[in-house]
Amino acid sequence: MADDVKETQKSSVQVPAEVIAERREIVKHEKSLEKLGAFEIAFQMLKLAKNNEKQNIFLDAGRGNPNWIQTISRLAFARIVEFGVHESEQTMHQRDLAGYTQLMGISVRFHHFLSPEENEVDQFLLDALNYCEERFGFNSDSFVKELVDGAIGNDYPVPSRVLAHTETILNAYLASTLYHHVDGTKLALKTQVFPTEGGTAAIAYIFNSLKENKLIHRGDRVIINTPIFTPYLSIPQLNDYELQRINLNSREEDHWQLAPEAIGKLNDSSVKVLMLVNPSNPGAMALSSQSLDAIKAAVTKNPDLMIITDDVYGTFAEQFESVYAVVPNNTLLVYSYSKLFGATGWRIGVIAAHEDNVFDKLIAKLPDNQKAELNKRYGHIALHPENMKFIDRMVADSRSIGLYHTAGLSTPQQIMEVLFSLAHLLNESVDGADQDHYIAEAKSIVDTRYQLLNKGLGINGFNSPHNTEYYSLIDIYELARQYYGTEFANWLRDNFTQLDFLYKLSKRYGTVLMNGVGFGSKPGILRVSEANLPDEAYSMIASDIRGLMASYHTRWMKEVPHQA
Ligand SMILES: *Cc1c(COP(=O)(O)O)cnc(C)c1O
């Protein structure tokens, strides 16, 4: 740690005053930065980077927000709104005031409205209608009305958890992208979904309802597969929860798979909850079949284990298998449309749960007095609160019970989820199973950037179907060793944290990376996102990292006596 303002003891040369001043400045910053989360640190670094000393274009490779979008579903959404307004004008029309849509014959009128020969968006909508009628046997009028009313947003979400046809389509999407080695269609039929305001809300709702339903208590043991997306580290720790966190500390050497000692911890029946991001963030690796088998075995030994798996990067791995597909009765699945579809502003995600699940089972097994308390809580909204499923309790809790009748994700957001899901399902029906050209394109974008970064840094990437290549983790001490030898690497480790490196990379070069340590990585790790900058930026980032490393090396040469 660079908590010592004095220069290294071995120093034999006079250190210039401005170097000491800079060091003092950084140490001061480090002290305050260490308290902040990775995302907040990156925010601070952005300010430095914008005014960087070299006047480089500023490069923010911190955030995971993609720089591509899926187009056709968005245009289809706009088209549905257009038709919806036209439909509404059939029942009432005074300048910019119109009435409500009518069910009878709406599908025929929608077909008339579309011009598939002239417009590929209309062709997409027509294909989508045909696909849904054939595959799911939807009644065309009720499906079109759900799309139209949903997109124009003329009514509260009813049912509040999810619109009816929407649930079927979201389930088909999840099955097609996240379950590969089981009968996905069968599992989809047993799966209930709750669309949420992104993965972010999904995570918050899950924690809140676990607590409200007395499934987690202060001091309970929770296993977290670290390193992990920062909210999973901070939420269990905060006052409301105060859970006892056990980090699995997956390692790069193991390609972020569960290590044998980690698997041992899973078998412990005092562990209540397992939380995973799979494929991981920041590790960017999907769990192997061995890791999945270990989780399955742990559930056999520990049948009440509650698992939360966040699979937002599932589509970026090959033949991805969700933990939900392996142990569906124990698992809540979180998915978000944000990353693949470039839709972070829409705030669209989903929680999925099996009809027959451990969460409901554990609620039923609570002591009578606690059950009575919960029945009182949910008795305000359900005649038989004891039968209310955990997933529906999450919907009610998300609006503090009292506002249950207006709960649920906004209907335009639900329809956007439907249209993204349908784009994938239609692509697969044309391109072939697991051949969706849009997904292939998104994967190829991150791959190109991953290769450019590795080439620039002179390191070998890890070529594996499990590697999403959405993020890279850079170990600055390992790079130092590779470039200039062990002695230099040790000096760097003894004197400078990755925060010093981050700070200088921002201030001097205008390049912002993320502090990997904030995700629970070991010291020296920085996260680079391959999602959000143009391809050529990744060569520049590599060259900035090399340049900064060279300047540390120059300093080492000056400050530390060397054998001639
Ligand atoms: C980006 C991300 C999310 C957030 O998803 P939103 O839908 O944008 O809220 C959730 N989990 C992980 C692991 C992520 O990387």
Side-chain angles (χ1 to χ4, degrees), residues 184-200:
T185 309
K186 207 164 131 196
L187 182 54
L189 286 172
K190 298 271 174 204
T191 302
Q192 299 185 305
V193 301
F194 170 23
T196 56
E197 297 82 356
T200 300

Side-chain angles (χ1 to χ4, degrees), residues 198-200 203 229 277 281 310 312-313 336 338-339 347-348 471:
T200 300
I203 297 164
F229 185 51
V277 172
N281 171 5
D310 175 339
V312 308
Y313 300 101
S336 162
S338 285
K339 306 285 163 49
R347 313 309 304 125
I348 45 180
Y471 299 110

Side-chain angles (χ1 to χ4, degrees), residues 52-108:
N52 69 82
E53 290 163 7
K54 292 190 192 291
Q55 300 188 315
N56 288 342
I57 12 171
F58 117 89
L59 298 174
D60 177 11
R63 298 304 294 265
N65 198 109
N67 70 345
W68 64 83
I69 63 160
Q70 201 271 9
T71 55
I72 197 148
S73 298
R74 287 175 160 93
L75 292 170
F77 183 90
R79 208 58 186 132
I80 295 173
V81 171
E82 225 181 299
F83 172 70
V85 167
H86 184 71
E87 268 297 284
S88 306
E89 288 171 352
Q90 307 310 306
T91 51
M92 226 195 274
H93 191 191
Q94 310 284 338
R95 295 180 64 178
D96 54 356
L97 181 149
Y100 269 43
T101 59
Q102 278 185 319
L103 175 69
M104 188 79 96
I106 193 170
S107 161
V108 172

Side-chain angles (χ1 to χ4, degrees), residues 106-365:
I106 193 170
S107 161
V108 172
R109 293 192 294 279
F110 192 39
H111 279 82
H112 281 309
F113 173 84
L114 298 174
S115 323
E117 320 73 39
E118 290 155 39
N119 183 337
E120 63 164 359
V121 179
D122 287 10
Q123 185 63 54
F124 166 80
L125 281 165
L126 204 58
D127 292 344
L129 295 181
N130 291 336
Y131 179 94
C132 291
E133 277 162 36
E134 268 170 44
R135 177 162 175 198
F136 308 121
F138 286 172
N139 171 294
S140 22
D141 278 348
S142 28
F143 179 43
V144 170
K145 190 150 189 330
E146 183 170 310
L147 289 175
V148 169
D149 287 352
I152 57 181
N154 62 10
D155 199 0
Y156 287 108
V158 179
S160 47
R161 175 164 56 77
V162 60
L163 303 176
H165 302 85
T166 297
E167 180 164 43
T168 305
I169 294 166
L170 301 195
N171 259 321
Y173 173 79
L174 295 176
S176 160
T177 50
L178 308 180
Y179 327 149
H180 274 101
H181 307 305
V182 296
D183 183 343
T185 309
K186 207 164 131 196
L187 182 54
L189 286 172
K190 298 271 174 204
T191 302
Q192 299 185 305
V193 301
F194 170 23
T196 56
E197 297 82 356
T200 300
I203 297 164
Y205 294 163
I206 288 172
F207 273 102
N208 179 44
S209 287
L210 286 175
K211 183 178 157 230
E212 290 295 353
N213 284 279
K214 306 175 192 303
L215 299 181
I216 50 173
H217 298 96
R218 207 158 279 190
D220 274 352
R221 286 150 65 91
V222 176
I223 288 203
I224 303 183
N225 189 25
T226 49
I228 198 168
F229 185 51
T230 54
Y232 290 102
L233 289 176
S234 49
I235 297 175
Q237 253 178 347
L238 300 177
N239 283 340
D240 283 2
Y241 299 99
E242 285 178 25
L243 301 172
Q244 193 186 328
R245 209 176 76 200
I246 304 170
N247 294 346
L248 288 188
N249 298 319
S250 294
R251 292 183 299 248
E252 175 146 36
E253 303 88 277
D254 304 327
H255 300 301
W256 309 109
Q257 299 303 325
L258 301 181
E261 63 274 18
I263 291 165
K265 287 184 197 164
L266 288 180
N267 294 336
D268 181 343
S269 66
S270 75
V271 171
K272 290 266 186 85
V273 181
L274 166 65
M275 289 191 303
L276 315 142
V277 172
N278 180 35
S280 53
N281 171 5
M285 212 65 68
L287 289 178
S288 65
S289 55
Q290 280 108 316
S291 292
L292 294 172
D293 288 346
I295 292 172
K296 192 167 185 171
V299 166
T300 312
K301 291 205 181 126
N302 189 1
D304 289 344
L305 185 64
M306 296 179 273
I307 302 175
I308 298 157
T309 186
D310 175 339
D311 294 4
V312 308
Y313 300 101
T315 55
F316 291 88
E318 306 285 338
Q319 289 286 308
F320 175 73
E321 189 70 341
S322 173
V323 169
Y324 178 72
V326 177
V327 280
N329 311 93
N330 292 70
T331 306
L332 294 175
L333 166 64
V334 172
Y335 180 74
S336 162
Y337 291 79
S338 285
K339 306 285 163 49
L340 179 60
F341 297 97
T344 48
W346 268 96
R347 313 309 304 125
I348 45 180
V350 63
I351 302 172
H354 197 273
E355 273 173 15
D356 174 15
N357 66 67
V358 73
F359 305 89
D360 292 331
K361 196 176 94 187
L362 289 172
I363 292 172
K365 284 205 302 202

